[in-house]
């Protein structure tokens, strides 16, 4: 549900003008998308990963006919590591080069040299420097 909540800020409507919204609001809306998406992904898939590790330990102990105990530490360790790594990258991104909502004009002008339409988007100069490590880190969990 946290990962799905990343869709909510994408529906932001500035009414065609950025004059009425403060820049801190625009940054917060744009940065909430990666925060919600990657935090939700981490929580969801680290839980699945932890359960897989737990089953693997139980089954490997069963092959030797020994009783196997799985501690809370064994289950929480993958979640903690993955969540802290995602958290560190997201904090760096938010502080150093946050996504900012900007309004850009489409191509084309009308007969009086006015812009016909525009669109809003979240932009950052170096977003790839943060997105690529986040994707690679979370992709490793799936493999």
């Amino acid at each position: 549900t946290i990962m799905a909540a990343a869709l909510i800020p994408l529906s932001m409507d500035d009414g065609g003008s950025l004059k009425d919204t403060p820049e801190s609001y625009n940054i917060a809306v744009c940065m909430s998308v990666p925060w919600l998406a990657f935090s939700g992904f981490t929580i969801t898939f680290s839980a699945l990963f932890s359960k897989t590790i737990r089953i693997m330990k139980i089954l490997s102990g069963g092959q030797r006919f020994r009783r196997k105990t799985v501690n809370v530490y064994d289950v929480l360790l993958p979640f903690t590591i993955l969540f802290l790594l995602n958290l560190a990258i997201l904090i760096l991104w938010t502080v150093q080069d946050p996504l900012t909502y900007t309004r850009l004009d489409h191509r084309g002008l009308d007969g009086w040299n006015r812009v016909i339409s525009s669109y809003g988007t979240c932009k950052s100069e170096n977003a790839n420097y943060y997105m690529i490590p986040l994707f690679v880190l979370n992709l490793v969990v799936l493999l």
Side-chain angles (χ1 to χ4, degrees):
T1 57
I2 295 173
M3 194 164 43
L7 296 174
I8 296 169
L10 292 175
S11 65
M12 184 185 101
D13 182 16
D14 64 352
S17 173
L18 290 175
K19 296 175 186 173
D20 299 334
T21 57
E23 187 171 346
S24 61
Y25 174 77
N26 294 332
I27 290 172
V29 167
C30 286
M31 284 308 296
S32 67
V33 174
W35 274 91
L36 290 168
F38 286 107
S39 297
F41 181 86
T42 301
I43 291 168
T44 302
F45 285 98
S46 65
L48 293 172
F49 186 68
S50 296
K51 288 177 184 181
T52 304
I53 288 175
R54 186 177 193 169
I55 291 170
M56 186 180 73
K57 283 188 174 196
I58 291 170
L59 291 177
S60 68
Q63 288 175 348
R64 290 176 250 138
F65 298 106
R66 293 186 183 163
R67 188 171 207 166
K68 193 70 175 174
T69 306
V70 179
N71 301 330
V72 174
Y73 176 78
D74 296 331
V75 175
L76 285 179
L77 184 64
F79 167 75
T80 305
I81 291 171
L82 187 60
F83 193 76
L84 289 176
L85 289 171
N86 274 307
L87 188 70
I89 295 170
L90 286 167
I91 288 172
L92 282 173
W93 188 6
T94 303
V95 171
Q96 291 180 347
D97 189 27
L99 291 170
T100 306
Y101 188 79
T102 56
R103 183 150 283 285
L104 302 171
D105 298 331
H106 281 121
R107 286 190 192 169
L109 302 172
D110 65 4
W112 292 275
N113 243 3
R114 296 178 300 188
V115 175
I116 296 173
S117 64
S118 64
Y119 65 98
T121 186
C122 293
K123 287 196 160 247
S124 172
E125 291 204 19
N126 301 309
N128 288 340
Y129 294 145
Y130 304 100
M131 290 292 285
I132 291 172
L134 283 168
F135 278 121
V136 168
L137 174 67
N138 290 298
L139 184 66
V140 167
V141 174
L142 296 176
L143 300 177

